[in-house]
């Protein structure tokens, strides 16, 4: 399956993903810039903050209160903000597109 990360300047990074991985794991494991994953996926930082394309928002697991609280620490939060570590991928996510934030690039 494929996942696309788009930088604020429009540069796209297409990456292969395996069901069961998180968006953060795909990014860190394949060198996508701007995704650090400092907490290793524990939802304890916001270094994997991404913006989910609107058409995908209803097709991924809903945001939890804990994740929402963690996103409150970012200045550039938007309605489609998510932590990449909290988005586990399944075959139904083939083609998912997320945008990187300028804060970590």
């Amino acid at each position: 399956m494929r996942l696309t990360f788009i930088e604020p300047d429009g540069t796209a990074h297409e990456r292969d993903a395996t069901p069961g991985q998180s968006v953060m794991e795909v990014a860190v494991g394949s060198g996508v810039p701007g995704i650090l994953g400092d907490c290793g996926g524990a939802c304890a930082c916001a270094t994997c903050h991404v913006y989910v394309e609107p058409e995908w928002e209803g097709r991924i697991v809903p945001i939890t209160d804990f994740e929402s609280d963690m996103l409150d620490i970012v200045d550039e939060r938007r309605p489609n903000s998510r932590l990449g570590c909290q988005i586990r991928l399944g075959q139904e996510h083939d083609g998912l597109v997320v945008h990187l934030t300028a804060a970590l690039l």
Side-chain angles (χ1 to χ4, degrees):
M1 62 185 286
R2 299 289 283 172
L3 181 61
T4 302
F5 298 87
I6 301 177
E7 293 185 46
D9 70 2
T11 302
H13 303 272
E14 289 190 17
R15 298 293 191 261
D16 290 322
T18 302
Q21 285 185 295
S22 70
V23 168
M24 181 273 297
E25 290 168 335
V26 173
V28 170
S30 62
V32 172
I35 302 287
L36 305 176
D38 285 346
C39 73
C43 195
C45 71
T47 62
C48 63
H49 177 209
V50 296
Y51 304 118
V52 176
E53 279 281 314
E55 63 266 18
W56 284 95
E57 287 184 78
R59 297 163 56 186
I60 58 176
V61 64
I63 192 169
T64 64
D65 289 341
F66 190 73
E67 180 183 357
S68 183
D69 288 347
M70 187 55 57
L71 282 165
D72 283 342
I73 70 170
V74 300
D75 291 332
E76 63 283 347
R77 184 175 183 169
R78 298 179 187 168
N80 61 333
S81 286
R82 293 297 303 269
L83 295 179
C85 67
Q86 298 303 296
I87 303 172
R88 284 274 162 212
L89 301 168
Q91 278 301 116
E92 68 274 17
H93 301 115
D94 186 28
L96 176 66
V97 177
V98 297
H99 293 263
L100 305 172
T101 68
L104 296 173
L105 289 172

